[in-house]
Amino acid sequence: MLKHEVSKAELLRQKSILKSIYDANYGHDYRYHIESYGCQMNNHDSERIAGMLNEAGYRPADSKNDADIIIFNTCCVREHAELRVFGNVGALKALKDEKPFLIIGVCGCMMQQEQVAKKLSKRYPFVDLIFGTHELFRLPEMLESVLSGDHVFRISGSDADIAEDLPIMRNSTFSTNVNIMFGCNNFCTYCIVPYVRGRERSRSAENIVGEVKKLAAAGYLEITLLGQNVNSYNAPDSGIKFPGLLALVNDIDGVKRIRFMTSHPKDLSDELIYAMRDLDKVCHHIHLPVQSGSSRILREMNRRYTREDYLRLIDKLRANMPDIDITTDIIVGFPGETDADFEDTISLVDEVGYCAAYTFMYSQREGTIAAKIPDQIPPEIKKERLHALNAKVASKLSIASKNYINKIGEVLVEGCDQKPGGMMVYGKMNGFRTVFFPGDESLIGKMIHVKIIDTLNTSLVGQMVK
Ligand code: 5AD
Ligand code: SF4
């Protein structure tokens, strides 16, 4: 067993508790509702919560009003998420008064911050269950305690949370996420993740490959390998690194597309670029957060690369994969960010031409180094900068979109929507571009060849190629 793995005996014990809750629930129609905030990692954790509740005999509710158990899976990366969660949990009081047997739980990385979890528990004593990210696999025993009338508050600092083979209810039947590592060692000065998610720990390559093989056999076509910093994946038993892992997953029959996120520029090796170029199933998309275009701010952020380093990486990626789609995360209003620093961000966006950028106003997170920098930027300036940045990203995107006209690509259809001109389906091409084209729900989960005929603000319009 690996250092961070939860023991098989412990997992079996948790599963047997699920079975006994299932037996007690038998014949009832109990329902659950889960609300996820934050990143893909959190959404993926919510799929595990759903999986465990499902094995305990609960079914998904149509809305929180007809749920018997409501779980908020929270995120703490930015402050507004915290305000929203407190507001939304507070709003459940009326429902709880109406239905005293309703179980309310709050978990996720916001709850991993002990002072915030205590504040929530004090302000909302009607919350039955509060637990941190490292406790997820203990949900069965915590639920059992709540069902017997206890309040549960469980937050530990332990990193021992790689729990293999937890039950899971995946949101899709053709495209899904697979965790390859947990935690982060980078300590960017603005970021709270390393404090709540703990240090980096990788799953064994054998377990990852085993999971992907099962998914492929169940018909999944697209696999996204997830981690806070996938480029520093380092298999604890075999020493396999990320490019090696990609090669192993690429060999699995049935898998058609491999994606991964997130990549840190400081760890993006030549080997990884060559692996992306040479492995036929790895999509030509990279999410490469730049955070700022100013080398001075990058230093203050402890990102450990300069603007020039980043631009060199972009050149190398494009030299090897001319069709690659690049997406990023950018923060505006980091403490001390001057107009000139911000202009550097704008000019970097101009130079790179992102396919999408997730842009954020800097949010002061207690306990991080940047929170103590005195020169915090006023909210009005942050807003102005965010606005200008989004406009720049959009204008670059719409210019680049024109290059797609008449190109043919394969789209994995994700869903369909009634549009004014009729029913349209949508999905991503091999990179990160979303394409809409006429079709119906029978196409969902299929790979379809499409020719691009028009562009919309952030997406493309196509038609099926026979
Ligand atoms: N304020 C604003 N954005 C942040 N991010 C992380 N921490 C903060 C913060 N304190 C953003 C970064 C990261 C993304 C997931 O969230 O851009 O890449
Ligand atoms: Fe946070 Fe930086 Fe780690 Fe990303 S790499 S999770 S921004 S500390």
Side-chain angles (χ1 to χ4, degrees):
M1 199 182 83
L2 303 176
K3 187 166 150 233
H4 293 291
E5 260 176 31
V6 178
S7 74
K8 284 211 166 64
E10 175 59 20
L11 287 169
L12 278 174
R13 192 174 77 79
Q14 297 294 336
K15 280 192 185 166
S16 74
I17 301 176
L18 288 181
K19 172 81 177 73
S20 63
I21 302 176
Y22 180 90
D23 291 342
N25 282 346
Y26 191 74
H28 295 277
D29 182 24
Y30 291 138
R31 304 269 165 165
Y32 69 83
H33 176 81
I34 303 171
E35 248 166 58
S36 288
Y37 299 78
C39 64
Q40 297 221 35
M41 197 69 102
N42 251 25
N43 287 334
H44 196 44
D45 284 349
S46 292
E47 291 182 319
R48 295 193 195 287
I49 296 172
M52 288 188 265
L53 293 176
N54 191 57
E55 287 215 355
Y58 294 86
R59 297 284 164 264
D62 291 331
S63 75
K64 49 182 173 242
N65 292 327
D66 49 29
D68 301 282
I69 173 162
I70 299 175
I71 306 264
F72 283 151
N73 188 8
T74 64
C75 165
C76 61
V77 170
R78 286 168 295 273
E79 192 183 8
H80 74 263
E82 194 169 310
L83 301 175
R84 244 176 87 206
V85 165
F86 270 69
N88 291 353
V89 173
L92 290 181
K93 169 89 171 61
L95 207 55
K96 180 85 176 186
D97 286 344
E98 233 174 80
K99 290 167 63 173
F101 293 107
L102 172 66
I103 294 171
I104 298 175
V106 187
C107 63
C109 48
M110 189 190 294
M111 294 301 103
Q112 191 61 39
Q113 303 165 274
E114 204 164 340
Q115 76 285 8
V116 180
K118 283 187 174 150
K119 186 166 86 182
L120 186 110
S121 147
K122 203 160 157 216
R123 191 175 301 171
Y124 303 124
F126 59 85
V127 172
D128 306 279
L129 170 63
I130 293 178
F131 60 100
T133 40
H134 305 307
E135 306 291 336
L136 188 71
F137 70 91
R138 291 204 181 91
L139 179 61
E141 89 180 46
M142 294 188 285
L143 185 59
E144 187 179 47
S145 300
V146 169
L147 288 167
S148 64
D150 292 340
H151 274 252
V152 173
F153 184 97
R154 217 161 155 169
I155 288 146
S156 75
S158 155
D159 286 351
D161 62 355
I162 300 189
E164 295 293 342
D165 287 332
L166 279 187
I168 185 158
M169 284 259 291
R170 296 182 186 267
N171 294 330
S172 158
T173 52
F174 52 87
S175 169
T176 195
N177 295 325
V178 170
N179 275 128
I180 62 164
M181 60 187 304
F182 302 87
C184 180
N185 289 349
N186 289 323
F187 289 95
C188 302
T189 56
Y190 50 82
C191 185
I192 199 158
V193 168
Y195 302 93
V196 288
R197 292 263 176 193
R199 295 298 81 74
E200 275 174 14
R201 48 220 186 272
S202 297
R203 289 177 69 197
S204 81
E206 196 186 339
N207 285 337
I208 296 168
V209 167
E211 183 176 345
V212 177
K213 278 187 176 159
K214 276 194 209 150
L215 290 168
Y220 284 89
L221 303 177
E222 183 176 75
I223 303 292
T224 302
L225 304 175
L226 278 190
Q228 243 79 38
N229 185 12
V230 290
N231 304 156
S232 51
Y233 173 80
N234 188 0
D237 41 357
S238 55
I240 290 173
K241 304 283 189 293
F242 190 55
L245 181 69
L246 281 179
L248 291 176
V249 176
N250 198 73
D251 276 345
I252 298 174
D253 285 342
V255 172
K256 297 269 187 271
R257 282 182 171 181
I258 304 166
R259 298 181 181 275
F260 57 88
M261 69 186 307
T262 293
S263 297
H264 193 304
K266 80 175 164 52
D267 299 313
L268 178 58
S269 63
D270 288 353
E271 289 71 35
L272 177 56
I273 297 176
Y274 303 149
M276 288 181 76
R277 180 195 62 192
D278 298 338
L279 297 170
D280 60 326
K281 297 177 185 173
V282 177
C283 289
H284 284 187
H285 165 229
I286 190 159
H287 185 63
L288 197 63
V290 66
Q291 312 297 2
S292 168
S294 151
S295 292
R296 189 182 75 80
I297 293 291
L298 288 170
R299 198 169 54 242
E300 294 286 309
M301 289 176 161
N302 189 32
R303 292 291 290 177
R304 286 175 272 178
Y305 54 85
T306 62
R307 171 196 177 92
E308 290 70 31
D309 295 333
Y310 186 90
L311 289 172
R312 266 194 296 275
L313 282 178
I314 299 293
D315 284 346
K316 214 185 284 178
L317 283 161
R318 290 204 164 121
N320 283 282
M321 289 165 281
D323 61 342
I324 193 168
D325 281 334
I326 300 169
T327 57
T328 199
D329 294 342
I330 303 174
I331 297 176
V332 297
F334 182 82
E337 184 186 69
T338 61
D339 285 343
D341 292 320
F342 177 63
E343 278 312 311
D344 283 347
T345 297
I346 292 284
S347 71
L348 180 128
V349 168
D350 212 25
E351 239 174 278
V352 175
Y354 290 105
C355 173
Y358 302 90
T359 56
F360 309 103
M361 286 188 277
Y362 167 74
S363 169
Q364 207 170 355
R365 306 316 287 133
E366 211 181 306
T368 60
I369 292 173
K372 298 191 198 80
I373 305 178
D375 191 6
Q376 299 287 325
I377 305 294
E380 316 78 70
I381 296 190
K382 285 188 203 167
K383 264 186 213 150
E384 241 171 62
R385 289 182 181 165
L386 189 73
H387 225 76
L389 176 61
N390 288 341
K392 172 54 83 182
V393 171
S395 80
K396 289 296 290 184
L397 181 63
S398 87
I399 297 168
S401 294
K402 305 275 179 266
N403 297 331
Y404 281 81
I405 300 281
N406 288 330
K407 288 213 166 123
I408 292 177
E410 220 174 356
V411 173
L412 173 55
V413 180
E414 291 164 32
C416 65
D417 242 350
Q418 186 64 51
K419 296 278 180 201
M423 189 62 100
M424 300 285 259
V425 293
Y426 58 87
K428 283 198 184 60
M429 303 223 284
N430 180 282
F432 198 72
R433 291 289 179 146
T434 296
V435 184
F436 284 82
F437 61 96
D440 59 34
E441 62 185 1
S442 66
L443 298 180
I444 295 176
K446 300 214 163 78
M447 311 258 306
I448 307 283
H449 281 96
V450 170
K451 181 175 179 182
I452 306 304
I453 54 169
D454 201 358
T455 65
L456 296 170
N457 280 344
T458 55
S459 52
L460 305 169
V461 181
Q463 63 192 21
M464 242 194 277
V465 186
K466 295 278 180 272

